[in-house]
Amino acid sequence: MSSTLLLAVAQQSHTALFMFLAFVAATLVITYFSARKSSGSAGYFAAGRRITGWQNGLAVAGDYMSAASFLGIAGMIAFKGYDGFMYSVGFLVAYLTVLLIVAEPLRNAGKYTMADVLAYRLSPRPVRALASLSTLTVSTFYMIAQMVGAGALVKLLLPGVSYEVAVAGVGVLMIVYVVFGGMLATTWVQIIKAVLLMCGTLFLSVLVLKHFDFDISKFFDAISHVPVKSADGTVVTKDFLQPGLVYGAAVNPWGPLDLISLGLALIGGTAGLPHILIRFYTVPDAKTARVSVVWAMLIIGAFYIMTTFLGFGAATILTPENIVVGGKPTDNMAAPLLAHFLGGEVFFAFISAVAFATILAVVAGLTISASTSFAHDFYSNVLHHGKETKPGEEVFVARITAFVVGAIAIFLAIKLQTVNVAFLVGLAFAVAASANLPVIVLSIFWRRFNTAGAVTGLAVGLLASIVLIIISPSVMSLDGKGLINAAPLFPLKNPGIVSIPLGFLAAIIATFCSREPAAEARFTEMEVRANTGLGAEKAVSH
Amino acid sequence: MPPSDPHNRDLTPESAAPTDIAPLGRETVPAHERTADEEKAMADWDAIAADPDFKSLLASKARFIVPATVFFLAYYLALPILVGWFPSLMTKEAFGGLNWAYVFAFSQFIMAWVVAFLYVAAAAGWDKQAAALLAKFRR
């Protein structure tokens, strides 16, 4: 089936490519018009001035359901079965951390970014500088994952193009968007994207079930007998419902610990993601923030349950050995290839276009906010003492930053082309959970917390997670697949179980090493605001 | 939305808009960037913090949030622990060809939704308490 499938993709790629381009163009037009509203069409949304709970919930879901969840999780399940499902579970349960711990205090305090929260009661300049560095790092990791997905998609649509050229092309396109400020990830773009992605996923799930005559037991029976080619070339049947194909103690003695480490990063990381936190600023009050998290949880949960249909569907209908692009097994392409096989040319083009547009929207939004906050919080605050020396300097610095970050992301995405994008996003979560989560939580709930603690916590969490990733088996390996050809110094692929406690510990120890009575005095104001919402209504009219 | 434009009342913020972050030293600082010292005069924070109603609001929140957080973390972390170290237990068939590992993983979705709904129900009470507290200080 492999050759026929590939042949079909190659022969009909012109139709698919044309439709793909049409869908992407349509999305860009929608994006353009919804971004236009920011520049003055006052009456456009005059009736609904404020984002309602379910709208914001959809936007949160749209921000969150990046290509990584759609392409990555489906691919992970298609190749590794049950263990890939652990990502789905973690990504959803993570929202309980957001709902119970950070969403309402942030909304009530009227804070927009993590830097705002920290600067509110601590010394603004150092905490803003560190917060912007960590935001930039998390965004870069996120961007690499999205570019790997986009590169593989383009490669699939244009079989003649090499992966390197595809990634570079996508990357340059994204940088052009960002540097010229053409595309803004508005709430409305995210809402449209979420709806399209949900519709596509739902339809594909129905097609998978139809393939099994809507007989769930037949489906599960097929999942427990997936043919997998082992290293020596023989085909063995594996039960994909059984846990442990990746993280089992039998496969790797560190596996179970790695799984827990991944779990910690997922449930802690979401509450530290810059593009999720800012969504709570867009609603009028804490009650709406709360309702929007619940809506997001319902939508995201339904989406992740459906990714299991896509993943298991690809595993059973296509089988892992046929999920190949350009001769290489590419788990990230499991969902698009499944769409092609079950839904034909049009549906394949639709799914690819939605995934591609998703990548553009997420990356453009993230890069603009990260580079702007770097220019504002790091460059102007730290280097120029809070004053722009020339008009437009901040914008210029932001553009340079976006360019540099984009170039780094292109370089790393080319190196990491066969890595699963959900795994890459998992690393972004680990960095967010190690650096951002400790300081956000401590600054909301701990009176004694001070500037030294915040700066140290951010720096240690950031460094620990990055260093542990660099010396982990995903970067260092002896089989030539890693970026560094050497034996890994750290046994786990996911750094969370070490770096998250380190981030907390560093923040707590550094806090106890210094006293800052002013920061403690300001905590009263923070506590009253976070719990009552007093003063937050003013924040909306910015 | 430039803060200087009084006619543009569209309050739909967007991530990454150039106006998200006010250029330093040129315009007034937007509300979300203000520090505690700059908003000290807005209310009598110490008086509200000392009010017994505020204390009971905090206590009532803690009574729900602390056990709920401990519960969901324990329930969630039980999954990788059981799957990783007790695979023989989790690979037993639960029903209909499904093993306990899958059933337990699926139950996490239900758990998350139930905790979220319980939280929303509990939070409605806190909204009332907070509104009553603020009304007392507005008078």
Side-chain angles (χ1 to χ4, degrees), chain A residues 364-413:
Chain A
L366 260 182
T367 316
I368 299 174
S369 50
S371 55
T372 319
S373 91
F374 179 81
H376 179 70
D377 286 337
F378 192 85
Y379 182 82
S380 298
N381 256 318
V382 176
L383 299 181
H384 287 158
H385 304 273
K387 288 270 185 281
E388 259 190 325
T389 45
K390 291 190 284 283
E393 193 182 17
E394 260 185 35
V395 179
F396 180 71
V397 173
R399 284 176 178 172
I400 299 282
T401 312
F403 183 80
V404 172
V405 167
I408 293 173
I410 291 175
F411 174 76
L412 288 172

Side-chain angles (χ1 to χ4, degrees), chain A residues 98-123:
Chain A
V98 175
L99 179 67
L100 268 58
I101 300 174
V102 302
E104 283 188 54
L106 281 192
R107 173 54 254 174
N108 270 336
K111 297 301 148 202
Y112 187 58
T113 64
M114 179 177 77
D116 291 339
V117 181
L118 298 178
Y120 180 69
R121 58 177 282 237
L122 306 175
S123 175

Side-chain angles (χ1 to χ4, degrees), chain B residues 56-81:
Chain B
S56 75
L57 172 66
L58 289 191
S60 146
K61 280 189 168 185
R63 265 199 307 278
F64 180 90
I65 292 174
V66 173
T69 306
V70 171
F71 167 75
F72 95 76
L73 285 177
Y75 194 90
Y76 172 72
L77 288 175
L79 178 68
I81 289 171

Side-chain angles (χ1 to χ4, degrees), chain A residues 81 151 172 202 258 303 307 310 332 362 365 391 403-404 481 496 523 538:
Chain A
V172 168
L202 182 64
D258 216 347
F303 177 75
T307 56
L310 308 194
N332 293 327
V362 168
F403 183 80
V404 172
K481 279 183 190 163
F523 180 75
K538 284 181 76 179

Side-chain angles (χ1 to χ4, degrees), chain A residues 188-199:
Chain A
W188 296 98
V189 172
Q190 296 301 348
I191 291 174
I192 294 164
K193 193 194 89 184
V195 171
L196 285 178
L197 202 56
M198 285 300 282
C199 292

Side-chain angles (χ1 to χ4, degrees), chain A residues 98-410:
Chain A
V98 175
L99 179 67
L100 268 58
I101 300 174
V102 302
E104 283 188 54
L106 281 192
R107 173 54 254 174
N108 270 336
K111 297 301 148 202
Y112 187 58
T113 64
M114 179 177 77
D116 291 339
V117 181
L118 298 178
Y120 180 69
R121 58 177 282 237
L122 306 175
S123 175
R125 275 178 55 202
V127 294
R128 276 192 181 277
L130 260 285
S132 73
L133 275 187
S134 122
T135 302
L136 200 64
T137 311
V138 174
S139 305
T140 309
F141 269 95
Y142 229 91
M143 197 166 172
I144 295 168
Q146 310 293 334
M147 280 198 187
V148 169
L153 260 179
V154 170
K155 175 93 185 72
L156 182 65
L157 286 156
L158 294 168
V161 173
S162 75
Y163 174 85
E164 288 77 7
V165 174
V167 169
V170 171
V172 168
L173 190 64
M174 286 174 187
I175 294 173
V176 167
Y177 274 132
V178 173
V179 171
F180 295 101
M183 195 157 95
L184 303 174
T186 65
T187 305
W188 296 98
V189 172
Q190 296 301 348
I191 291 174
I192 294 164
K193 193 194 89 184
V195 171
L196 285 178
L197 202 56
M198 285 300 282
C199 292
T201 311
L202 182 64
F203 187 62
L204 193 49
S205 305
V206 171
L207 288 180
V208 168
L209 288 177
K210 183 168 164 273
H211 185 86
F212 291 98
D213 308 319
F214 296 101
D215 184 347
I216 294 282
S217 62
K218 205 169 155 186
F219 183 40
F220 280 122
D221 187 55
I223 299 171
S224 54
H225 301 95
V226 176
V228 179
K229 211 179 226 171
S230 54
D232 55 8
T234 53
V235 173
V236 288
T237 306
K238 282 197 176 166
D239 184 353
F240 266 36
L241 278 179
Q242 300 292 356
L245 289 181
V246 195
Y247 292 111
V251 182
N252 172 2
W254 291 97
L257 207 59
D258 216 347
L259 189 60
I260 294 170
S261 188
L262 167 70
L264 285 174
L266 296 184
I267 52 167
T270 308
L273 288 181
H275 62 303
I276 299 297
L277 293 182
I278 58 173
R279 287 266 163 243
F280 301 116
Y281 190 72
T282 67
V283 291
D285 51 30
K287 186 162 183 275
T288 322
R290 186 187 305 150
V291 172
S292 61
V293 178
V294 175
W295 269 106
M297 285 178 75
L298 288 175
I299 296 160
I300 293 166
F303 177 75
Y304 285 141
I305 289 173
M306 288 194 291
T307 56
T308 65
F309 289 115
L310 308 194
F312 284 132
T316 51
I317 299 169
L318 299 177
T319 74
E321 68 167 308
N322 291 321
I323 302 170
V324 174
V325 177
K328 282 181 188 163
T330 311
D331 59 353
N332 293 327
M333 288 302 106
L337 285 173
L338 183 69
H340 188 269
F341 184 75
L342 292 176
E345 204 70 16
V346 178
F347 189 55
F348 167 66
F350 174 77
I351 285 285
S352 304
V354 171
F356 191 78
T358 297
I359 293 169
L360 279 188
V362 168
V363 172
L366 260 182
T367 316
I368 299 174
S369 50
S371 55
T372 319
S373 91
F374 179 81
H376 179 70
D377 286 337
F378 192 85
Y379 182 82
S380 298
N381 256 318
V382 176
L383 299 181
H384 287 158
H385 304 273
K387 288 270 185 281
E388 259 190 325
T389 45
K390 291 190 284 283
E393 193 182 17
E394 260 185 35
V395 179
F396 180 71
V397 173
R399 284 176 178 172
I400 299 282
T401 312
F403 183 80
V404 172
V405 167
I408 293 173
I410 291 175

